[in-house]
Amino acid sequence: MDNAGKSQPENPISVLVFSVSVCLKSTIMFPTVRPRRLRYNPVLRDMVRETSLSVTNLIYPLFVTFGHNVKRPIQSMPGCVTESVDVIAQSAKEIHTLGIPAVILFGIPEHKDEKGAGAYDPDGVIQRAVKEIKHAVPELFVITDVCLCEYTSHGHCGILENGQILNDPTLELLAKTAVSHVRAGADMPAPSDMMDGRVLSIRTALDTEGFASIPIMSYAVKYSSAFYGPFREAAESTPAFGDRKSHQMDPANRREAIKEAAIDLEEGADILMVKPALSYLDIISDVKRAFNVPVAAYNVSGEYAMVHAGARLGWIDYEKVMMEVLLSIKRAGADLILTYFAKDAAKLLG
């Protein structure tokens, strides 16, 4: 049977390999076949571009704290700041003006305790910030990170007992946190804790409280990565002891990502996130191929800091590398990209 009579495989990679093999077996080759014909003209290059990046794909992370007129630079993340609630609306207006459709909020409370009570306090830092932003820029889509690590005195993501994180008792607090954010006006909670059953717990709580229309963006595939260092400085969430390997995923595991994503979908997640992004492009691609839902990817602080460091030393072109990084994440399959590059990228994208 010739190639025309064969049925093509459904897997996108298999289809690509199949197509290339058909092309190579064809009798029509160079000089008749010249792929560079589609590259000579810049207009045509744009017309046949396979992947496009838009400002509407971007989500900008904001760090918010208490205090007055606080705009504290984050040393390891050039261009990023920790802001107080009273000035957060200014940043929200700037972000909206740039065309960026959404922000995700991370809170640094005044006080921390063993159970992270500041996370679900109706008058907490995130709850206040959400109200300020929605009052100033109601069109801006506000996502809130749901975790306890920034609010606990020990810096871990749940309730501790004898040095161990208690999964099930933590779920109630995560659900309370998500509900309190939505009551304040948040458009979507994003649980990042990686406790088993957290999406179901949050979905059930939201539905019970009358928020059935509120979507959940789950940090479904979150690896125990070395790229989080600058973020932990910014969010003041470095664990007082130990690490987070008991709940965040092993960077060596690929198949497990599909399992985690499938569980979160079954529990009610609407958007699946992969974190980090740049070192896990294969995982983004796997998740996108496996599930017919929007996929988000978090271009994390360490990835951001490396580009800035290289540019500061004059070793790379900041804008070109930034855009190539973002394009690679989109090409891998991400529909949404959480990135500290969002404002700079938006200025270039227009």
Side-chain angles (χ1 to χ4, degrees), residues 54-68:
S54 167
V55 68
T56 59
N57 302 135
L58 307 178
I59 298 170
Y60 189 65
L62 289 173
F63 297 94
V64 60
T65 190
F66 285 109
H68 177 69

Side-chain angles (χ1 to χ4, degrees), residues 222-225 245 247-254 256 280:
K222 183 178 179 180
Y223 285 91
S224 181
S225 171
K245 293 181 179 179
H247 48 289
Q248 294 179 1
M249 290 174 54
D250 185 340
N253 292 356
R254 185 173 184 175
E256 186 183 14
Y280 296 84

Side-chain angles (χ1 to χ4, degrees), residues 247-323:
H247 48 289
Q248 294 179 1
M249 290 174 54
D250 185 340
N253 292 356
R254 185 173 184 175
R255 295 189 303 270
E256 186 183 14
I258 301 302
K259 176 182 177 181
E260 286 280 3
I263 290 170
D264 281 12
L265 271 182
E266 183 69 21
E267 292 185 358
D270 300 281
I271 300 173
L272 300 172
M273 189 198 301
V274 176
K275 180 182 180 181
L278 192 56
S279 294
Y280 296 84
L281 296 177
D282 57 329
I283 308 302
I284 297 170
S285 180
D286 288 350
V287 171
K288 185 62 178 180
R289 289 203 305 269
F291 305 104
N292 188 29
V293 297
V295 173
Y298 203 138
N299 178 210
V300 299
S301 59
E303 297 166 346
Y304 174 83
M306 287 194 305
V307 174
H308 269 280
R312 187 171 61 249
L313 291 169
W315 293 346
I316 58 174
D317 182 303
Y318 171 74
E319 289 186 351
K320 289 181 179 178
V321 171
M322 170 185 68
M323 297 307 289

Side-chain angles (χ1 to χ4, degrees), residues 217-235:
M217 179 170 70
S218 169
Y219 288 66
V221 183
K222 183 178 179 180
Y223 285 91
S224 181
S225 171
F227 285 96
Y228 301 151
F231 173 91
R232 289 177 181 172
E233 173 202 337

Side-chain angles (χ1 to χ4, degrees), residues 4-136:
K6 293 181 180 179
S7 61
Q8 294 192 20
E10 294 183 359
N11 184 288
I13 302 300
S14 300
V15 170
L16 177 61
V17 172
F18 181 90
S19 301
V20 171
S21 66
V22 170
C23 181
L24 293 177
K25 290 177 182 177
S26 171
T27 56
I28 304 175
M29 296 292 286
F30 179 84
T32 303
V33 176
R34 292 178 179 266
R36 289 183 62 198
R37 291 189 187 116
L38 299 180
R39 301 175 195 152
Y40 281 116
N41 187 291
V43 175
L44 184 56
R45 281 201 303 270
D46 288 344
M47 290 170 63
V48 300
R49 177 169 289 162
E50 297 176 27
T51 305
S52 60
L53 180 67
S54 167
V55 68
T56 59
N57 302 135
L58 307 178
I59 298 170
Y60 189 65
L62 289 173
F63 297 94
V64 60
T65 190
F66 285 109
H68 177 69
N69 201 30
V70 176
K71 275 190 175 289
R72 184 168 62 247
I74 301 168
Q75 297 302 319
S76 56
M77 299 170 63
C80 297
V81 297
T82 299
E83 303 170 273
S84 50
V85 172
D86 62 322
V87 297
I88 198 72
Q90 298 172 15
S91 290
K93 290 176 181 177
E94 177 194 6
I95 290 161
H96 182 255
T97 299
L98 289 170
I100 299 168
V103 294
I104 182 167
L105 303 183
F106 298 92
I108 299 94
E110 281 185 301
H111 306 290
K112 302 188 179 193
D113 58 38
E114 288 291 307
K115 293 188 177 181
Y120 41 90
D121 182 350
D123 199 34
V125 64
I126 290 297
Q127 291 80 353
R128 288 192 189 183
V130 169
K131 292 175 183 177
E132 288 291 328
I133 292 172
K134 295 304 285 188
H135 176 74

